[in-house]
Amino acid sequence: MRLATAEINIPALRYNLARVKEIAPSSKVMAVLKANAYGHGLVKIAQCLSDADAFAVARIDEALALRAGGLTKPIILLEGFFDPSDLPILLANNFETVVHDESQLLAIEQSNLEMPISVWLKVDTGMHRLGIEPEQFDDFYQRLKQCPNVKPAVNLMTHFPCADDVSNDFTQVQIDVFASLVSDRREALCLANSAGVIGWPDAHFDWVRSGLMLYGVSPMLDQVGVDHQLKPVMRLKTRVIAIKQVNVGDRVGYGGRWQCQKATILAVVAMGYGDGYPRHARQGTPVVIKGKRYGIVGSVSMDMISVDVGENAAHIQVGDEVEMWGPTLPVEEVASCADTIPYELLCNVTPRVSYEYCNDE
Ligand SMILES: *Cc1c(COP(=O)(O)O)cnc(C)c1O
């Protein structure tokens, strides 16, 4: 019998990609697959996204794993390359690189490449993480254009730090800065992450880069996937492995952090931080058993969590399935109970969890 399992709903994944295209109908879609496709399984997810126009990853190893898995679509390296010696690997595997720093530009200019490489010049319009300053744009752009190692179309990119909040004007400021820089260029422009897709139609341009929303999760503050007609792709589930009666005054779990105030029954479920469930989930963070929500009690252990199923829990038995997050319990909600974001919970699912890819709705 399988315990901790991530059930991956492939039709929901495909549906979410169709939603991206419906929301941004004039844009091509880069499906963002970094961090093991946000914990969903890199190659498997890529194989099911045949309708995407390209894939995007953060690291070269992720891109190589896609090629090793037989995937032939364009792959964009969102952080670019890290050393001049990476360049032949990029060329041999037909990877496109972001250029966000002078060291990368120099490496490309000074290399002796057999073929030109496809480049995305990344401009920092206000996130102050990766990207060249707007004042450097003309210099970088001209140098890339003139460099024989670079394919003639120099694509352009920027990234949003606050697009999840539609009341924050900063995203519009970034769109305007970017648009003014690139006004007379004919190259492909790419600005929007998932929050840009949903919240900022002016940011769609030629390409969008969607990650989180493909997995059916809301990128917008205080909303869940269904608010945007997205369908959660992952259902993280396990089973009840013990039932225990506790009485007033009993302390439960490591550190005895939860004390029983009223006699009740606990269901012990096989899921813990060793599976990627957040150890900081608050007392009362919900799980779903037999269609009903119950709250966790005590500290999350490596392999187990206790759930207060109430004094009238005779219908709950060893072997019952427990949903930790998924279609009936949004991962956004669990994330907020653990003071984190759904991105982190999804990425943190560990290799101990088994994956089941389901092709029926
Ligand atoms: C991760 C990432 C994305 C995707 O973001 P989502 O919010 O998951 O859509 C887009 N662009 C860059 C540069 C990223 O690093």
Side-chain angles (χ1 to χ4, degrees), residues 58 77-80 82 98-101 104 122-133 157-159:
L77 300 170
L78 293 172
E79 298 173 358
F82 308 93
V98 162
V99 168
H100 57 77
D101 187 81
Q104 293 173 322
K122 182 158 186 179
V123 186
D124 177 9
T125 53
M127 182 156 184
H128 299 125
R129 192 177 62 178
L130 293 185
I132 59 160
E133 295 298 309
M157 189 182 277
T158 194
H159 194 43

Side-chain angles (χ1 to χ4, degrees), residues 32 34 38 78 122 129 159 193-195 209-213 219 343:
V32 181
K34 59 195 178 182
Y38 293 47
L78 293 172
K122 182 158 186 179
R129 192 177 62 178
H159 194 43
N193 51 3
S194 295
R209 303 186 301 276
S210 304
L212 194 67
M213 68 186 294
Y343 295 84

Side-chain angles (χ1 to χ4, degrees), residues 15-35:
Y15 166 89
N16 294 332
L17 176 58
R19 269 299 282 156
V20 177
K21 296 187 161 203
E22 192 172 85
I23 299 171
S26 315
S27 306
K28 291 187 184 174
V29 181
M30 267 179 218
V32 181
L33 302 178
K34 59 195 178 182

